[in-house]
Amino acid sequence: MSIIQFSLAKTGEKTCSINRIRLHSAYDPVKEAQRFVAGLDFGFIPTLIVVTEPALSYCAAFLRQAYPAAKLVAIRFTHQFDEYNHLWDKFFYHDQIIQLLHTYGEDEVLATGFISWQPSQQVFPQEYNQCWQQIRNLVQTSRDILGTRAYFGKRWLKNTLSFCYRLQNSCTIEPGTAPVLLVASGPSLESSMDFIKKNRDSLFILALSSALSPLMTAGIKPDACISTDGGYWAKKHLDSCSVPLILPAEAAIPASCFEKSIIPLKYGDAPEAQLLENCKIPALQGFRNGTVSGTALELALSITTGPVFACGLDLAAKIGFQHCQPNRLEMAAETKDFRLVPKETRLFPQQLPSQSLAIYAQWFTSQSQRFKDRFYRLAHSSYQFSNKLGVIRDIDWKEFTAVFARHKKKQGTLRLPRICSVQIPEKAQRYEILLKTLEKYTQQLPDHWLSTLLPAEQALLNRSLEKTELGKKISEKSSKIINEMVDYLRFLGENTGHVV
C-alpha cells in the first residue's frame, strides 16, 4: 500500500500526495475544490452525487452549497482517508459499488451524477478502472430493472386490483420461537430432502414457489409458500398449490388460488400499499428485493425469534439443471425439446456465469453482517457450495442439530409461527372502494403512483430541467392507463357475479 504524505499548503490547509503525485493543490486546496464544483455540468438535476475517491473531501462542502437537495456519497479507493467520511451522507469502498443499488434503488441510481476527483485517477489507476467499470455495470443493471418495471407496471396494477377485489380467505402469521426453514430450489436442495423430512415437525417451512413441486414430490408439505413475481410464468409454480400463500398484491397467481388461504404482503409503496389500506386488508410488512429469496429471508426473520435456515440457496450457476427437479418451468420447456435442438442445447446457456445470480448473491453478501447471528445456509455435508455469502455460515445437518439444540435449551418450549384468519370487508364493498380510488386519479396521478406505472417517464421528468411539455405528456398517458384500469375493474365485477 502506498503511503500518503501529508503537508500544509501555502494557505495553511492540509494537503497530501502519493509518490510525488498531488491529490490536492500545494497552494490552495479549498479554492481548487471550489473551482472543481463550479465547473460541473450534469445536464440534469441530480438527486444523488457520487464522487470517486475525493481524498481529503474539500469538495463535499461546495457540493452541498451547489446541490442542497442532493445526497452526497464518496467511493473510497483506500482506507487512509476514512477520518473524512463524516463529511458525506454515505461512503462505500470501490468493491462495494453494487450497494448503491441496494441502498438507493434504481430510480436514484439513474438520477445520480457520477464524478471523479481527477488526481485520484493517476494515484489509484487499478482501483479507478475497476470502480468505473462497476459503475457502468450498475447503471446498466438499473436501466434493466427500470425497463422491467416499465414493461410490467400496468400488469402489476391489474394484479393488485384483482388481488384486493378477489381475495377471500385473508390470513396473517402470529410470530413464534421455533426455527424457520426457508426452502429455495437450487440444486443443493436435493441433498437435504431426507433431513427435512426427519425434522419436519420441529420447523416452520417457508417454501419459495419454485421449491413447491420438489417438496411435494418428496412428500413434504410446507407450512406456507411465498411468491412475489408479477410475471405470468410465476403462475406455473402455483397451479396445484395446496398450502397457504404469502403474496404481495402485485404478484401473478392463478384464479383458483383466490380460494386458498392467502397472507397478504405489503412493500409500503404505491399503488399497492394505498389500495390495500383503503380496502382495509391487513398485510405483513415485506421488503422489495430483486430476488424472492431476499424478501423471504426478511419475512422469515420477522416471524420467529429463533434461527432461520435456508436449503437450496445456491445463487450460482451449475452444470446441468439450475433448479432441483421437478421444476414447473422445466417441465413446460422440455415439451419443446427435439432432436435438432435437444435439452443440452437449451440448458447450456444456464451454466454460464449469470449477472442476475451475481447481483442476488451480492445482496446477501452485503447484508451478511446483519443476518450472521440468526441465519445459516444449509446442505448435506457432501455438498459444497461454489460461492460464499459474506460472513453467513454454511453448515451441514449435523451442525444444524447442534444449533437447534442450543436454541431450544435457551428458549425452552418452542412455539411454531401460527397462520390465522383475518376479517376483511365484503367483496362488493372493496369493489366500490377500488373504483372510487381509481376515479379520483383519472385526471392526474400523484408522483408515488407514477413511479410504478410510468417509471421511465417519471425518471426522465425528475432529471429534466424543462418539465412542462414532458409533464403534460405524462399526464395524458397516465390518465389513459387509469381509465383502462377502471374498465378492467368493471370487467372483473361484471364477470364474477358479485357486482352488477
Side-chain angles (χ1 to χ4, degrees):
M1 180 177 67
S2 300
I3 303 299
I4 296 177
Q5 295 178 322
F6 294 98
S7 59
L8 293 180
K10 295 292 185 182
T11 52
E13 288 90 1
K14 185 184 285 189
T15 186
C16 62
S17 63
I18 294 179
N19 300 330
R20 297 183 180 181
I21 300 175
R22 292 200 169 275
L23 286 165
H24 295 282
S25 168
Y27 180 73
D28 191 342
V30 175
K31 191 69 173 179
E32 176 190 40
Q34 185 179 24
R35 288 172 177 165
F36 170 76
V37 172
L40 296 175
D41 181 11
F42 294 109
F44 63 95
I45 304 172
T47 58
L48 183 69
I49 296 176
V50 174
V51 185
T52 58
E53 193 45 85
L56 298 178
S57 301
Y58 288 115
C59 63
F62 297 108
L63 286 169
R64 290 198 189 281
Q65 291 176 15
Y67 305 94
K71 294 182 282 290
L72 305 183
V73 174
I75 304 296
R76 294 295 188 193
F77 296 162
T78 174
H79 287 271
Q80 295 185 78
F81 296 112
D82 282 357
E83 65 180 289
Y84 302 98
N85 288 340
H86 69 280
L87 298 173
W88 304 88
D89 294 310
K90 271 195 176 298
F91 65 92
F92 301 99
Y93 297 100
H94 68 280
D95 58 350
Q96 300 174 325
I97 300 297
I98 192 63
Q99 291 196 30
L100 285 168
L101 180 58
H102 301 323
T103 303
Y104 295 106
E106 62 275 9
D107 295 282
E108 287 269 36
V109 168
L110 295 174
T112 296
F114 291 96
I115 53 179
S116 167
W117 182 249
Q118 295 177 352
S120 298
Q121 300 174 209
Q122 296 175 278
V123 176
F124 304 100
Q126 183 176 350
E127 291 84 352
Y128 170 83
N129 289 331
Q130 291 175 351
C131 176
W132 280 87
Q133 181 58 54
Q134 289 182 63
I135 287 173
R136 284 188 284 272
N137 293 341
L138 177 74
V139 171
Q140 184 57 57
T141 298
S142 298
R143 286 174 179 164
D144 291 345
I145 295 172
L146 194 71
T148 300
R149 286 173 49 199
Y151 183 81
F152 283 107
K154 285 171 58 176
R155 169 53 58 190
W156 289 341
L157 180 53
K158 277 189 174 182
N159 290 346
T160 300
L161 292 170
S162 178
F163 183 95
C164 290
Y165 172 58
R166 302 170 77 176
L167 182 64
Q168 297 180 41
N169 304 312
S170 185
C171 297
T172 190
I173 300 179
E174 292 183 356
T177 58
V180 172
L181 180 67
L182 174 61
V183 184
S185 62
S188 63
L189 173 58
E190 188 173 356
S191 72
S192 291
M193 288 298 193
D194 290 339
F195 295 92
I196 296 175
K197 284 184 184 179
K198 182 179 177 181
N199 293 277
R200 173 67 188 91
D201 294 339
S202 304
L203 300 164
F204 183 95
I205 298 181
L206 175 59
L208 273 57
S209 58
S210 57
L212 191 58
S213 289
L215 286 174
M216 298 296 283
T217 300
I220 303 167
K221 187 175 182 179
D223 293 287
C225 172
I226 182 171
S227 179
T228 61
D229 203 321
Y232 64 89
W233 55 83
K235 297 180 181 181
K236 293 184 181 295
H237 293 304
L238 303 174
D239 279 340
S240 57
C241 181
S242 60
V243 302
L245 283 169
I246 302 173
L247 303 164
E250 66 190 34
I253 60 173
S256 60
C257 284
F258 285 109
E259 300 172 5
K260 314 290 183 186
S261 294
I262 292 178
I263 301 152
L265 198 64
K266 64 178 180 182
Y267 293 132
D269 47 21
E272 175 210 64
Q274 185 176 341
L275 294 176
L276 285 170
E277 182 179 349
N278 289 359
C279 291
K280 295 181 172 57
I281 299 173
L284 296 177
Q285 182 62 56
F287 294 90
R288 193 179 293 281
N289 198 296
T291 169
V292 62
S293 54
T295 300
L297 173 57
E298 298 273 16
L299 178 66
L301 290 167
S302 73
I303 63 173
T304 183
T305 57
V308 174
F309 304 90
C311 287
L313 192 65
D314 295 64
L315 298 177
K318 183 181 181 295
I319 294 176
F321 291 116
Q322 302 305 299
H323 298 276
C324 185
Q325 300 301 305
N327 178 274
R328 292 279 179 173
L329 298 183
E330 170 61 27
M331 291 165 65
E334 68 182 5
T335 61
K336 300 177 182 178
D337 294 335
F338 68 107
R339 183 173 61 85
L340 297 180
V341 186
K343 178 180 295 186
E344 289 76 10
T345 300
R346 175 170 55 81
L347 292 180
F348 177 75
Q350 301 175 29
Q351 302 170 22
L352 302 175
S354 165
Q355 185 178 357
S356 295
L357 287 176
I359 291 172
Y360 302 158
Q362 179 59 40
W363 181 84
F364 280 90
T365 299
S366 68
Q367 302 296 316
S368 61
Q369 284 290 344
R370 183 161 64 94
F371 297 144
K372 67 175 183 178
D373 295 329
R374 289 183 58 204
F375 178 55
Y376 305 85
R377 188 164 62 162
L378 181 59
H380 188 274
S381 57
S382 64
Y383 191 94
Q384 296 296 315
F385 290 104
S386 62
N387 59 358
K388 293 290 292 181
L389 301 179
V391 295
I392 293 169
R393 289 180 57 199
D394 295 335
I395 65 173
D396 60 20
W397 282 91
K398 183 177 180 180
E399 192 167 358
F400 160 86
T401 303
V403 174
F404 185 94
R406 286 197 301 270
H407 174 65
K408 188 174 182 179
K409 182 178 180 180
K410 180 180 178 181
Q411 188 68 43
T413 302
L414 298 180
R415 185 180 73 258
L416 289 168
R418 188 171 73 91
I419 297 174
C420 50
S421 297
V422 173
Q423 286 292 112
I424 59 174
E426 293 294 325
K427 196 171 185 180
Q429 184 179 348
R430 283 180 273 140
Y431 174 86
E432 292 299 330
I433 291 169
L434 293 169
L435 189 59
K436 287 180 181 178
T437 303
L438 291 176
E439 288 178 339
K440 183 173 69 174
Y441 293 144
T442 52
Q443 298 303 314
Q444 181 65 48
L445 273 180
D447 287 348
H448 55 289
W449 279 57
L450 283 173
S451 64
T452 296
L453 293 175
L454 297 171
E457 290 86 346
Q458 181 70 0
L460 186 60
L461 183 66
N462 290 340
R463 288 172 58 105
S464 178
L465 297 173
E466 174 50 55
K467 300 180 183 293
T468 305
E469 189 64 31
L470 181 58
K472 182 180 177 182
K473 290 180 180 178
I474 290 175
S475 180
E476 292 172 353
K477 196 169 183 178
S478 63
S479 179
K480 181 181 178 182
I481 291 173
I482 291 301
N483 281 299
E484 288 178 12
M485 294 301 126
V486 169
D487 292 342
Y488 172 70
L489 182 60
R490 286 179 172 147
F491 169 82
L492 279 179
E494 292 167 0
N495 286 274
T496 56
H498 289 271
V499 178
V500 180

